[in-house]
Amino acid sequence: MSFQVIGTGSAAPACVKTNDDLSEFLETSDEWIRTRTGIRERRICTSETMSDLTEHAAKLALENAGIDAKELDLILCTTVRGDYMTPSQACVIQKRIGATCPAFDLNAACSGFLYALDVAESYFFCKKVKKVLVVSSEVMSKLVNWTDRSTCVLFGDGAGAAVLGEGDDMLSLRLTADGNWDALRIPQVNGNCPFGEEQGEPPYLSMNGQDVYKFAVTNMAADLTYVIEKAGLTTADVDYVLPHQANTRIIDAAAHRLSIPKEKYVISIDRYGNTSSASIPVMLDELNRGGRLKKGDILAMSAFGGGFTTGAGVLRWSK
Amino acid sequence: MGSERTAFDHVAKRIARHKGVRASKIRPQTTFLQLRLDSLDMVELLLNLEDDFHVEIEMTDRIRCVQDLVDCIEQARRNDDKKKKR
């Protein structure tokens, strides 16, 4: 027994920054960013907080599901950094939407949404829940070094949410982890303890692009192949592929290794940049609200991220 | 794919397909800079060649031209052969 998706929602900050905007203070260009990543623009939080984005996405998802917040049995929020270290972002969401259920955060970086679906599936399997809210949100603009053109141009802010109900639509899921803090990390903030002997690193994202690219391409294709087969399906059965939106070249390279036509791959990186764990639920919401999904559609999702982590799964759409 | 010339031909064809250029234009001393392969192109190329030749290729700064890459592949294949003979 797994679950079915009964509602989706998403939210993005109002401020749009194009590649040209960034090249006003960075030594870069629209042509360079667009041809190497597929990104044209991204959303950046200015006056909005993550709590604003997550509340908005969650409320839209609840409305789409036709349920009240008080019907929720669990709230899972995936993020690499909420507005607070404590309370969890999930607890902030709980308060903001008027829910009364347990709530906790989960950090699997860009793979967070798939990790959260796996956790939710276990709760449904144990019959501990009937309604679960999953919210994935990142404010990457606060975590990148805006003087480092190799990283800051890649990311954006956003939130995606899904309400899950009882059902059997999560046909397969696969999670992996391969511990690595050299290739991709965001160090913690340091306090001012007078006894500390370590200075600590600046709390900005650093990344070895080549290592991440190699990991991503290798694992995305392998994970999708695995979960499609585990679901008892073939690539011909897949209606949409929702790949984590880190770089269109990663998606193209992975697609090259799979026999799924390129037009089935959903792309949002051009408008949002890499929103980490929010990228897949945002695409899911856009497909849902755009009327592109029909009952019975098969969606294959795949993500990879800091950890390293990967998550992949096949979801049947029943809404 | 037993001879170095054959390995070169294969690598040249892979590059040609990736960059949309003619393989006949690629020489052993053609650099990746001349071919306008950036760092991600190189990772993608190496991944494909690793699959093609069933070897592991380590990307280093020493690999600057096509012949450097062919030499790496041939060395990796020799190392593999030695391991199998033990």
Short mmCIF file of all heavy atoms in Angstrom, two decimals, chain B residues 24-45:
data_model
loop_
_atom_site.label_atom_id
_atom_site.label_comp_id
_atom_site.label_asym_id
_atom_site.label_seq_id
_atom_site.Cartn_x
_atom_site.Cartn_y
_atom_site.Cartn_z
N SER B 24 37.01 13.62 -39.89
CA SER B 24 38.23 13.73 -40.72
C SER B 24 39.03 14.99 -40.40
O SER B 24 40.21 15.10 -40.74
CB SER B 24 37.85 13.70 -42.20
OG SER B 24 36.94 14.74 -42.49
N LYS B 25 38.38 15.96 -39.76
CA LYS B 25 39.07 17.21 -39.42
C LYS B 25 39.88 17.08 -38.12
O LYS B 25 40.64 17.97 -37.77
CB LYS B 25 38.04 18.34 -39.23
CG LYS B 25 37.24 18.67 -40.47
CD LYS B 25 38.01 19.60 -41.34
CE LYS B 25 37.15 20.07 -42.51
NZ LYS B 25 37.94 20.82 -43.49
N ILE B 26 39.65 16.00 -37.40
CA ILE B 26 40.29 15.83 -36.08
C ILE B 26 41.61 15.09 -36.25
O ILE B 26 41.66 14.00 -36.83
CB ILE B 26 39.35 15.08 -35.12
CG1 ILE B 26 38.06 15.89 -34.92
CG2 ILE B 26 40.03 14.83 -33.77
CD1 ILE B 26 36.98 15.16 -34.16
N ARG B 27 42.66 15.70 -35.74
CA ARG B 27 44.01 15.12 -35.81
C ARG B 27 44.45 14.71 -34.40
O ARG B 27 43.88 15.18 -33.42
CB ARG B 27 45.01 16.15 -36.35
CG ARG B 27 44.65 16.67 -37.72
CD ARG B 27 45.13 15.69 -38.78
NE ARG B 27 44.78 16.18 -40.11
CZ ARG B 27 43.69 15.81 -40.78
NH1 ARG B 27 42.83 14.96 -40.23
NH2 ARG B 27 43.45 16.27 -41.99
N PRO B 28 45.47 13.86 -34.30
CA PRO B 28 45.96 13.46 -32.97
C PRO B 28 46.35 14.65 -32.09
O PRO B 28 46.13 14.65 -30.89
CB PRO B 28 47.17 12.57 -33.28
CG PRO B 28 46.87 12.00 -34.62
CD PRO B 28 46.14 13.07 -35.36
N GLN B 29 46.91 15.68 -32.72
CA GLN B 29 47.37 16.83 -31.93
C GLN B 29 46.31 17.92 -31.78
O GLN B 29 46.58 18.97 -31.22
CB GLN B 29 48.65 17.41 -32.54
CG GLN B 29 49.82 16.43 -32.56
CD GLN B 29 50.05 15.80 -31.20
OE1 GLN B 29 50.07 16.50 -30.18
NE2 GLN B 29 50.24 14.49 -31.17
N THR B 30 45.11 17.67 -32.29
CA THR B 30 44.03 18.65 -32.11
C THR B 30 43.70 18.75 -30.63
O THR B 30 43.47 17.73 -29.97
CB THR B 30 42.77 18.22 -32.88
OG1 THR B 30 43.10 18.03 -34.26
CG2 THR B 30 41.66 19.26 -32.76
N THR B 31 43.70 19.96 -30.09
CA THR B 31 43.44 20.12 -28.66
C THR B 31 41.95 20.24 -28.39
O THR B 31 41.16 20.60 -29.28
CB THR B 31 44.14 21.37 -28.09
OG1 THR B 31 43.52 22.52 -28.67
CG2 THR B 31 45.63 21.36 -28.37
N PHE B 32 41.57 19.95 -27.17
CA PHE B 32 40.17 20.07 -26.80
C PHE B 32 39.74 21.53 -26.75
O PHE B 32 38.57 21.85 -26.94
CB PHE B 32 39.92 19.35 -25.46
CG PHE B 32 40.19 17.89 -25.55
CD1 PHE B 32 41.22 17.31 -24.85
CD2 PHE B 32 39.43 17.08 -26.39
CE1 PHE B 32 41.50 15.95 -24.97
CE2 PHE B 32 39.69 15.72 -26.52
CZ PHE B 32 40.73 15.16 -25.80
N LEU B 33 40.70 22.40 -26.55
CA LEU B 33 40.42 23.84 -26.60
C LEU B 33 40.03 24.23 -28.03
O LEU B 33 39.07 24.97 -28.25
CB LEU B 33 41.68 24.61 -26.16
CG LEU B 33 41.49 26.07 -25.75
CD1 LEU B 33 40.57 26.19 -24.56
CD2 LEU B 33 42.86 26.68 -25.39
N GLN B 34 40.79 23.68 -29.00
CA GLN B 34 40.48 23.97 -30.40
C GLN B 34 39.10 23.43 -30.77
O GLN B 34 38.38 24.00 -31.58
CB GLN B 34 41.54 23.35 -31.33
CG GLN B 34 42.87 24.08 -31.28
CD GLN B 34 43.99 23.32 -31.98
OE1 GLN B 34 44.04 22.08 -31.94
NE2 GLN B 34 44.90 24.03 -32.60
N LEU B 35 38.76 22.31 -30.16
CA LEU B 35 37.48 21.67 -30.45
C LEU B 35 36.33 22.32 -29.66
O LEU B 35 35.17 21.97 -29.82
CB LEU B 35 37.53 20.18 -30.11
CG LEU B 35 38.39 19.34 -31.04
CD1 LEU B 35 38.72 17.99 -30.41
CD2 LEU B 35 37.66 19.12 -32.37
N ARG B 36 36.69 23.26 -28.78
CA ARG B 36 35.71 23.97 -27.96
C ARG B 36 34.91 23.02 -27.06
O ARG B 36 33.69 23.16 -26.93
CB ARG B 36 34.75 24.79 -28.82
CG ARG B 36 35.45 25.88 -29.58
CD ARG B 36 34.46 26.81 -30.22
NE ARG B 36 35.18 27.89 -30.90
CZ ARG B 36 34.67 29.03 -31.23
NH1 ARG B 36 33.40 29.27 -30.97
NH2 ARG B 36 35.36 29.94 -31.84
N LEU B 37 35.64 22.06 -26.49
CA LEU B 37 35.00 21.19 -25.51
C LEU B 37 35.23 21.78 -24.13
O LEU B 37 36.38 21.96 -23.72
CB LEU B 37 35.63 19.78 -25.55
CG LEU B 37 34.94 18.75 -26.43
CD1 LEU B 37 35.16 19.05 -27.88
CD2 LEU B 37 35.41 17.37 -26.09
N ASP B 38 34.14 22.12 -23.44
CA ASP B 38 34.33 22.66 -22.09
C ASP B 38 34.41 21.51 -21.09
O ASP B 38 34.39 20.33 -21.47
CB ASP B 38 33.22 23.67 -21.74
CG ASP B 38 31.83 23.05 -21.66
OD1 ASP B 38 31.71 21.82 -21.54
OD2 ASP B 38 30.85 23.82 -21.71
N SER B 39 34.46 21.85 -19.80
CA SER B 39 34.69 20.82 -18.79
C SER B 39 33.57 19.78 -18.76
O SER B 39 33.82 18.59 -18.56
CB SER B 39 34.87 21.46 -17.40
OG SER B 39 33.72 22.23 -17.06
N LEU B 40 32.33 20.24 -18.97
CA LEU B 40 31.22 19.28 -18.95
C LEU B 40 31.22 18.41 -20.21
O LEU B 40 30.88 17.23 -20.16
CB LEU B 40 29.88 19.99 -18.80
CG LEU B 40 29.67 20.76 -17.48
CD1 LEU B 40 28.24 21.25 -17.38
CD2 LEU B 40 30.02 19.90 -16.28
N ASP B 41 31.62 18.99 -21.34
CA ASP B 41 31.77 18.19 -22.57
C ASP B 41 32.77 17.08 -22.32
O ASP B 41 32.58 15.94 -22.75
CB ASP B 41 32.30 19.06 -23.73
CG ASP B 41 31.24 19.99 -24.29
OD1 ASP B 41 30.07 19.59 -24.39
OD2 ASP B 41 31.62 21.13 -24.66
N MET B 42 33.88 17.41 -21.63
CA MET B 42 34.92 16.42 -21.39
C MET B 42 34.40 15.30 -20.51
O MET B 42 34.69 14.13 -20.73
CB MET B 42 36.15 17.07 -20.73
CG MET B 42 36.95 17.99 -21.64
SD MET B 42 37.52 17.19 -23.15
CE MET B 42 38.57 15.90 -22.50
N VAL B 43 33.62 15.64 -19.49
CA VAL B 43 33.07 14.60 -18.60
C VAL B 43 32.17 13.68 -19.42
O VAL B 43 32.24 12.46 -19.31
CB VAL B 43 32.29 15.22 -17.43
CG1 VAL B 43 31.59 14.14 -16.61
CG2 VAL B 43 33.22 16.02 -16.54
N GLU B 44 31.32 14.27 -20.24
CA GLU B 44 30.39 13.48 -21.05
C GLU B 44 31.16 12.59 -22.02
O GLU B 44 30.84 11.41 -22.19
CB GLU B 44 29.47 14.43 -21.82
CG GLU B 44 28.49 13.77 -22.76
CD GLU B 44 27.45 12.92 -22.05
OE1 GLU B 44 27.29 13.07 -20.83
OE2 GLU B 44 26.80 12.09 -22.72
N LEU B 45 32.19 13.14 -22.63
CA LEU B 45 33.00 12.36 -23.57
C LEU B 45 33.67 11.18 -22.87
O LEU B 45 33.64 10.05 -23.35
CB LEU B 45 34.06 13.27 -24.20
CG LEU B 45 35.05 12.63 -25.17
CD1 LEU B 45 34.32 12.09 -26.40
CD2 LEU B 45 36.12 13.64 -25.60
#
